[in-house]
Amino acid sequence: MATINANFLKLKAGYLFPEIARRVRAYSEANPAQASRIIRCGIGDVTEPLPAAAVEAMRAGVEELGRRETFKGYGPEQGYEFLRQAIVEHQFAGLGISADEVFISDGSKCDTGNILDIFGQGNIIAITDPVYPVYVDTNVMAGNTGDADAKGTYAGLLYLPCHPANGFVAAVPNEHADLIYLCFPNNPTGAVASRAQLEAWVAYAREHDAILLFDAAYEAFIQDPAIPHSIFEIEGAHECAIEFRSFSKNGGFTGVRCGYVIIPKSVTGSDGMGGRVPLNQLWSRRHSTKFNGASYPVQKAAAAIFSEAGKAQVAGLIDHYMGNAKLLREACTAAGLSVFGGVDAPYVWVACPAGLSSWDMFDKMLSEAQVVITPGSGFGSAGEGFFRISAFNSRSNVEEVCRRLLALLG
Ligand code: MLT
């Protein structure tokens, strides 16, 4: 008899975004006349076409694969040197990162989940609340938690609540943690961490011999020049941090799939017997066994993001989405709501009108305005009473969302 991984039975009914899609489908079937009016600002999925430089490079990559003289089979599991090198030069110049500390993948969602493969059991895991649900669910699947309570809070995780009073940036805890997930700019709250706040986290990690799992998927949206884009801008991070990056949101690669992980060779973990093992080695070994590399045309397209033309096209995309975020912030403020985020991040985080829970607000926006938002409680119990609006949309859709928001609440 094949038994199952019983940890999966601890998971809440459905992953947040499929659950939202299910509710939207049910509404559309019950209200066919309204279905075509629905505007989706729930999942943070890009809407604008790929940068032309990436399309051109991907096309050239496919052409190469179609000719005997330039055909390629399996590539290096860790990624092609040309892309690893381009990342170092264009994203980590002067930060002491080398190409063999960059691991190319098919996206950050997979990386932030898969990273648990290289860590042992019994680690104390700290996560912020609200949080990107992947961090929690993958720890549940890996057996790093107990059961969830009625609010969906899992026994065994150290939750770090984020709220307006701390600017949605968790302070270092008094308790010990071994692995800490940080995401800046933050999904879902749109908060960013200052240099001083990141320095405090690096100091904590070094004092506790802990590892920071730093998700910087949204770094390209930072507008404030004082905000660090990488944890490796902080002294000491090369001994205690792993960083996750993605081409999804800056390059519009959500459907193309490409991301990367930075693991400096100086980051080590305990073997439980008094020895230390470089995590870079373990991740490389894991990649070789479980992954055959992102596809060649995709890596060509990713490298083209760093060409002069690619950089200008990406800057245009960022401006577009941040322009949307500004409009959404203004509309929510004009509607009398308390608004957070959306300044250095493509997510606007909003307090629900008095008396409405996150899912009440989701239902109200869907049934009365045909706008899909994300209920804050889907990101953790501290997200209750908030909702998230994604700025990833066309300008005309965002303008229409603003009109409907004001008509509904203004
Ligand atoms: C989100 O909406 O939170 C993101 O699209 C999720 C993701 O990038 O996986």
Side-chain angles (χ1 to χ4, degrees):
M1 183 175 57
T3 60
I4 56 145
N5 176 351
N7 294 311
F8 277 62
L9 304 180
K10 298 179 198 163
L11 292 166
K12 285 178 286 161
Y15 183 63
L16 176 61
F17 295 107
E19 174 59 18
I20 290 173
R22 192 190 64 74
R23 289 184 184 223
V24 174
R25 243 185 344 265
Y27 173 81
S28 305
E29 281 163 19
N31 303 277
Q34 304 289 3
S36 63
R37 262 177 63 82
I38 293 176
I39 301 180
R40 288 173 170 76
C41 296
I43 192 163
D45 195 2
V46 293
T47 55
E48 303 309 295
L50 291 175
V55 174
E56 229 169 85
M58 198 184 305
R59 197 174 280 134
V62 172
E63 293 292 332
E64 282 183 61
L65 296 186
R67 283 195 302 272
R68 180 168 298 282
E69 313 74 60
T70 45
F71 173 75
K72 289 175 175 29
Y74 292 125
E77 293 91 351
Q78 290 76 9
Y80 281 98
E81 191 63 19
F82 67 79
L83 179 55
R84 299 172 93 187
Q85 200 56 50
I87 287 168
V88 167
E89 278 166 28
H90 295 275
Q91 299 283 275
F92 295 92
L95 296 184
I97 299 294
S98 58
D100 57 357
E101 296 173 321
V102 180
F103 297 87
I104 312 299
S105 74
D106 56 353
S108 262
K109 182 180 189 175
C110 320
D111 285 336
T112 54
N114 290 334
I115 198 73
L116 291 174
D117 277 5
I118 64 168
F119 292 105
Q121 298 285 309
N123 284 315
I124 298 175
I125 318 281
I127 56 150
T128 58
D129 181 10
V131 74
Y132 179 41
V134 170
Y135 312 154
V136 176
D137 285 6
T138 52
N139 272 288
V140 176
M141 291 172 181
N144 290 339
T145 74
D147 288 324
D149 66 13
K151 285 170 141 180
T153 302
Y154 284 93
L157 290 181
L158 176 59
Y159 286 90
L160 309 173
C162 297
H163 36 67
N166 62 13
F168 296 99
V169 179
V172 300
N174 296 323
E175 300 93 329
H176 170 81
D178 298 298
L179 290 178
I180 302 117
Y181 289 83
L182 296 177
C183 173
F184 292 112
N186 187 257
N187 178 14
T189 66
V192 282
S194 67
R195 180 171 295 276
Q197 285 166 323
L198 294 179
E199 280 168 356
W201 273 111
V202 167
Y204 173 93
R206 289 171 67 93
E207 186 188 330
H208 287 260
D209 197 4
I211 304 289
L212 302 177
L213 300 174
F214 190 80
D215 186 347
Y218 299 94
E219 62 75 33
F221 295 85
I222 294 173
Q223 308 290 306
D224 180 347
I227 300 293
H229 287 235
S230 167
I231 193 69
F232 300 115
E233 291 178 45
I234 308 299
E235 206 183 321
H238 294 70
E239 279 70 52
C240 65
I242 291 176
E243 182 162 312
F244 302 91
R245 291 272 186 118
S246 171
F247 290 97
S248 284
K249 311 294 162 104
N250 58 345
F253 275 38
T254 55
V256 174
R257 310 306 307 151
C258 196
Y260 54 100
V261 184
I262 307 289
I263 311 186
K265 293 193 279 291
S266 40
V267 183
T268 62
S270 161
D271 65 4
M273 295 176 294
R276 307 289 302 190
V277 181
L279 300 184
N280 177 294
Q281 232 174 59
L282 296 186
W283 187 244
S284 185
R285 181 70 176 79
R286 188 234 168 247
H287 245 40
S288 308
T289 301
K290 290 196 174 181
F291 189 56
N292 259 335
S295 86
Y296 175 69
V298 163
Q299 293 192 59
K300 289 283 280 187
I305 291 290
F306 303 119
S307 65
E308 282 318 302
K311 278 186 197 167
Q313 290 155 9
V314 167
L317 288 172
I318 303 286
D319 280 354
H320 166 78
Y321 292 126
M322 291 313 291
N324 287 349
K326 183 169 181 290
L327 292 176
L328 290 166
R329 275 183 59 86
E330 286 167 359
C332 291
T333 306
L337 302 172
S338 299
V339 183
F340 309 90
V343 175
D344 291 293
Y347 295 124
V348 181
W349 184 248
V350 190
C352 298
L356 291 188
S357 72
S358 297
W359 279 109
D360 290 343
M361 188 62 187
F362 173 87
D363 289 337
K364 186 177 175 66
M365 290 284 284
L366 180 58
S367 60
E368 296 177 35
Q370 290 74 51
V371 172
V372 181
I373 50 159
T374 311
S377 56
F379 296 102
S381 60
E384 180 54 272
F386 293 89
F387 65 98
R388 190 192 78 174
I389 315 185
S390 160
F392 291 110
N393 223 315
S394 65
R395 183 55 53 85
S396 58
N397 270 355
V398 165
E399 285 167 351
E400 179 61 17
V401 167
C402 293
R403 273 193 290 276
R404 291 189 200 173
L405 247 169
L406 281 165
L408 186 67
L409 305 169

